[in-house]
Every structure is written in structure tokens, then in C-alpha cells.
Amino acid sequence: MFIAGKWEEAAGGRRFDVTNPANGEVLADVPDGGAQDAARAIDAAFDAFPGWAGATAYDRSRALFKAWQIMMERKEELALTMTREQGKPIRAARNEVQYAADFLQWYSEEAKRVYGATIPSARADQRFITLRQPVGVVAAITPWNYPVSMITRKLAPALAAGCTLVLKPAEATPLCAVEMFKIFEEAGFPPGVVNLVTAGDPAPIGEEFVSNRKVAKLTFTGSTPVGKMLAGRAAAEMKRVSCELGGHAPFLVFGDADPVHAAKGAQLVKFLNTGQACISPNRMLVQRALVDDFVGTLSERVGSMKAGNGLEDGITIGPLVNQAAVDKVAAQVEDAAAKGAEIVCGGKRLTDGGLDKGFFYAPTVLAGVTPEMRIYREETFGPVAPVIAFDDDDEALAMANDTHYGLAAYVYTQNNSRAMRMFEGLNFGIIGINDINPTSAAAPFGGMNDSGLGREGGRDGIDEYLETKLGGFSI
Ligand code: NAP
């Protein structure tokens, strides 16, 4: 753990193992922190806050830029750590490292653009001026599925704004976090500005984050139930909260779209990270006339994917994170099949060729999915593409919006007015129109309803870490 500029053991002296989900190999062990360690890290961040908030935007920008430079030098090393620890194929890990680094670079620039305003007053003897100031100490909790970019997406804007921070990464991926904190150490952030607490049991640390008076803001990425619980606790202390939570993205393919192009996009985005992405499509809504062509192309592409250890050549799909994830996927597929869905391809665990040592499930396409099936409403977080037919635009929009989640949606159409109607009518924070990667460090990422509060990335992302202070001057 990294606290007040030093690498530390947990106060209780315990450590826990980190394993490779592709083969069960123990990769390393790390300190198993608790509430006492979280409190120590919060104290360090609190003590460092006045100095960091008082540094110039140019100083903060330089440190972030330096971190970006070091990260680019270590790109391959970080990608290898990520594939070993999290399981995604090495190419996807390299892409994530680049996406993660983009946040450091973009916010190193944005740090210099935190502007206030002058506001005309109705009184001749009065002047209004606003200042944008950092909120204070930030407590951050991140998931395992994007173990590097979820860190920089929070940390870069927080540091650019002048906040100090304590991070608790996911239990499954602390090694990526440790590698990132070595980079922050080398980049020269003053002691206490960035702090890392690793833990096998997240609950005591989460409790310390939401109850400690020195924490001004909680930023959480993870599942909706945990996000709701933590946001509720933080609200009781009137802490600022942002939450990036689960999703159930619809992927709409209209009759005027090219079904082969749409199916190619669907396969690429659905099976990215083995379906373990919050913006992963969870319902493929396809206009009835296109269903056969779409399912044909999709299942052909899915059938040729190769599962295995992401460090090996030709592997296009990695393992799931753990046994519970495999069981959840299997249960949703079994439920759908029992209620009449057709398993077009996949639909089973993969164990041959040494895969039994990891957590593998075959990439799967289900046709004839209906609202009675669990998969129609529950986030799968696994490699299953459920296909559902619709007849017209109104039905498609109603089906797409028939969820409590509201993170991402995708639309395939060649008709501009339909594209605009869908963009306006879909109740989701991110809409890809003929586009399967509507994300960037420069753009706001976030959801509505059960998918969370606030935005990360872009100009909106730094607002989450700033207070607006008004000065009224009588002259
Ligand atoms: P999770 O179980 O909610 O865990 C996320 C983080 O919260 C982990 O660090 C976890 O620690 C921690 N945590 C769990 N219980 C906690 C508690 N009581 N107090 C404090 N911290 C606690 O979610 P996950 O299964 O790892 O991640 C998958 C979910 O994240 C999916 O629903 C996915 O859609 C969502 N996600 C959303 C976005 C987005 O941007 N909207 C991005 C990525 C993922 P441990 O690891 O030790 O359990």
C-alpha cells in the first residue's frame, strides 16, 4: 500500500493472494488493509490537501504530464500485468493502457482551464465573482474489469482540480493499481497526494470512506447494489458522490442498416473483455426482417473466436473473473433456454485443452429471447448475445427503454432523422450511432437511473471535483 509517499504493510500485517483467472496461478500477494489503514491514508491525503490545492495549475499539470510520459514508456509492462491479472487478451490490454493514459494527458491540459466567472449584478455598487475550488479529499473505489483506466478516469481529473485522493482497487486486480502508483511516485506527486489501500475485504474500507469526516467526496465504479448502498451512507454524511454503475445496453438494428456491418459491430463490442464491460450490449434488438441475416453473421463470427490465456497468440476471448461469474452466465443461459430461447452457438462452459483451470464460458448467441427471461433484464457481464425481434420504431424505443439501467445504447441505421429521434428518445447517458466505441478521455461517460450519478471524462469530469464559490463585493 502507498500511504503518505511510502510503501507500507497493512496495520494487521495480513496479505492476500492475487491469481490469474486464466489458469489459477498465484501471481503475487499484497497487503490486506482494513479500516485503520484507510484512516491513515485519509489522514495523509487530508494533510497534503492544502499544499496540493495551493500549487499552481501549471505544477499540477506538469506532474500529470510526467505520469503520462512514464505510463507510455511502461505501456507493454502494464498490459502484460493486466492480462495476467485480469485475463483480457494482450491486444485489448494494450488498448486499455492507452485509453487510461489518455486521461492523464487530457487532464494535464484541462488543469489549466479551471475558470471562474464574473456575473453582472443588478446593483451598481456590487460585483459578483465565482471561484472554482477543489472539493477536498476524494475516496475512490474501482472495479477489476478495467483495472487501469478506471483508476486514471477518477484520479486524473481529481488531481487536476487540486484534490488529494485515497484509492481502494478491486480485490481481483491490485497489481495493476500497484504498478500505477509506482508511476505516480516516480512522477513526483508530493507525499500524501495519492494514496493506495489494497484489501481482501472491501466493506471496512468502504465504511471508513463514507463515515470519515475528512473525506469530502466518494467516487465509486462498480455494481449498482454496492453503489446504492455506499451512496446512501455517504448521503447521510452529506458527502459529494459520483457513481458509475451497471448497465443493460440495448443494441438496435433497424431495417435500413446493413445487417452484416451491424453484426460485425455487435460481435466486437459484445465480446470485448468477455462481455465484462458496463457498456456491453445486453439486448440485441433487431428489426424482424433482418434477424436471420444478423444472427447468421453474428454466430459465424462468434463461432470463430478462440478462448484461452490472453498472452497466447490468436486468443480473442479471455476468461471470466471467477467461478461466481461463470455460474451467473450459465444460469441466465439455462433460464433462457428453458423458457424457449434457441442457443445458436456456445451455451456451455469451456474446459478442454487446459481451460478447466480457468473460468471460461463459450461465446454464446441466443435467438428468440423474450421479456420473461432473466437475461432480458439482468446484467449478464459475460459472453452472451441475446437477440430479440421488433417490428417498428416505437416498439424498438419502448423495448430499449424498458430497463432501470441507463448507461449505454447503440443504434444502427442509415436514416438521419431516425438516428436523431433515437438519440433524443433513448434514456441512456451514452449513445453510439453506427459506432461501437463512443468513449474517449475528452468525452463525458456516465449513466442515468440505476447506472449512476455524475460523469467521468471531458469537461464534465473535472466538475465532479470542484466547488463553485461565489464572492459578492460591495464597492
Ligand atoms: P462490485 O462488486 O460492486 O465491486 C466494485 C468495487 O467495489 C470493488 O473494488 C469492490 O471490492 C468494492 N466493494 C464491494 N463491496 C463493497 C463495500 N461493501 N464497500 C466498499 N467497497 C465495496 O462490482 P464488480 O463486480 O467488481 O464490477 C462489476 C460492476 O461494475 C458491473 O455492474 C459493471 O457494470 C460495473 N462497472 C461500471 C462501469 C461504469 O463506468 N459505469 C465501469 C466498469 C464497471 P472487492 O473487489 O474487494 O469486492
Side-chain angles (χ1 to χ4, degrees):
M1 303 193 297
F2 190 66
I3 299 176
K6 293 201 177 70
W7 291 96
E8 303 263 6
E9 288 300 319
R14 289 185 309 273
R15 298 180 73 86
F16 67 97
D17 286 345
V18 185
T19 53
N20 182 335
N23 54 23
E25 173 200 2
V26 174
L27 298 167
D29 58 6
V30 296
D32 187 3
Q36 209 183 325
D37 303 294
R40 246 182 339 136
I42 291 166
D43 285 344
F46 190 79
D47 293 344
F49 176 69
W52 187 244
T56 68
Y58 284 77
D59 292 335
R60 293 197 291 264
S61 170
R62 268 189 292 275
L64 283 165
F65 190 75
K66 181 81 186 155
W68 173 76
Q69 282 179 315
I70 304 171
M71 203 172 162
M72 294 317 294
E73 286 161 17
R74 308 240 174 107
K75 204 172 160 184
E76 192 60 18
E77 216 175 305
L78 280 164
L80 287 167
T81 302
M82 194 190 302
T83 295
R84 285 195 190 101
E85 185 182 41
Q86 192 267 330
K88 66 183 59 149
I90 188 72
R91 247 183 86 194
R94 290 184 188 120
N95 289 343
E96 185 187 337
V97 174
Q98 183 60 57
Y99 173 60
D102 289 349
F103 288 97
L104 295 174
Q105 185 188 38
W106 202 86
Y107 283 106
S108 77
E109 295 154 355
E110 195 65 3
K112 293 176 275 183
R113 296 183 195 120
V114 175
Y115 303 136
T118 56
I119 299 163
S121 166
R123 273 174 32 208
D125 68 341
Q126 188 182 46
R127 302 289 180 269
F128 284 132
I129 297 177
T130 63
L131 278 183
R132 313 290 317 282
Q133 293 184 314
V135 296
V137 172
V138 173
I141 299 179
T142 50
W144 48 266
N145 62 338
Y146 285 88
V148 174
S149 56
M150 295 302 97
I151 295 177
T152 54
R153 207 165 76 174
K154 297 182 183 311
L155 184 138
L159 297 181
C163 296
T164 55
L165 176 136
V166 180
L167 169 76
K168 189 212 80 69
E171 176 189 359
T173 55
L175 301 180
C176 282
V178 167
E179 291 310 310
M180 286 305 297
F181 272 70
K182 288 181 188 162
I183 291 173
F184 301 139
E185 183 185 23
E186 278 181 47
F189 290 101
V193 169
V194 288
N195 304 275
L196 171 69
V197 179
T198 50
D201 178 3
I205 299 193
E207 184 52 31
E208 186 64 33
F209 281 1
V210 292
S211 59
N212 192 312
R213 303 289 306 204
K214 292 180 177 173
V215 173
K217 156 136 195 156
L218 174 75
T219 172
F220 173 83
T221 298
S223 61
T224 299
V226 176
K228 282 185 174 176
M229 184 277 289
L230 289 172
R233 293 279 300 110
E237 299 294 329
M238 205 45 79
K239 294 188 193 306
R240 274 136 199 80
V241 175
S242 20
C243 285
E244 297 286 352
L245 307 178
H248 203 280
F251 188 103
L252 293 104
V253 183
F254 286 93
D256 59 54
D258 171 355
V260 172
H261 180 59
K264 182 178 170 197
Q267 183 256 331
L268 288 171
V269 63
K270 171 68 237 185
F271 296 94
L272 193 69
N273 208 15
T274 318
Q276 303 171 114
C278 49
I279 59 169
S280 185
N282 223 122
R283 288 166 296 154
M284 308 283 174
L285 301 170
V286 183
Q287 198 141 15
R288 204 170 296 279
L290 295 192
V291 168
D292 288 348
D293 285 349
F294 179 87
V295 170
T297 306
L298 180 62
S299 50
E300 202 179 298
R301 292 182 66 95
V302 169
S304 66
M305 295 184 82
K306 193 163 169 228
N309 183 333
L311 291 181
E312 288 167 17
D313 275 351
I315 295 301
T316 49
I317 191 155
L320 288 159
V321 64
N322 54 29
Q323 189 58 43
V326 177
D327 293 344
K328 182 181 175 194
V329 170
Q332 284 193 3
V333 171
E334 280 156 28
D335 169 78
K339 290 174 181 159
E342 180 197 350
I343 299 175
V344 185
C345 66
K348 59 179 190 319
R349 293 157 206 245
L350 294 175
T351 49
D352 291 349
L355 296 189
D356 57 328
K357 296 197 184 72
F359 305 113
F360 290 92
Y361 194 90
T364 299
V365 177
L366 295 178
V369 168
T370 61
E372 295 69 43
M373 299 171 189
R374 280 176 56 188
I375 201 161
Y376 189 90
R377 299 202 180 277
E378 289 177 20
E379 188 182 31
T380 306
F381 232 55
V384 185
V387 180
I388 303 148
F390 69 82
D391 288 305
D392 60 38
D393 290 25
D394 289 345
E395 188 191 14
L397 191 58
M399 285 167 95
N401 283 337
D402 182 20
T403 171
H404 292 295
Y405 289 114
L407 188 57
Y410 305 85
V411 177
Y412 271 68
T413 178
Q414 296 303 317
N415 179 315
N416 276 341
S417 57
R418 174 177 284 133
M420 184 53 77
R421 278 199 311 278
M422 291 299 144
F423 181 43
E424 289 176 355
L426 286 163
N427 298 328
F428 297 81
I430 302 163
I431 319 278
I433 307 281
N434 300 313
D435 190 306
I436 52 165
N437 188 16
T439 61
S440 151
F445 186 107
M448 302 174 179
N449 305 320
D450 274 1
S451 290
L453 291 172
R455 294 293 180 268
E456 292 188 330
R459 287 171 61 189
D460 305 67
I462 199 164
D463 286 347
E464 304 282 339
Y465 299 97
L466 291 165
E467 286 281 19
T468 298
K469 184 186 280 179
L470 175 70
F473 293 74
S474 269
I475 56 167

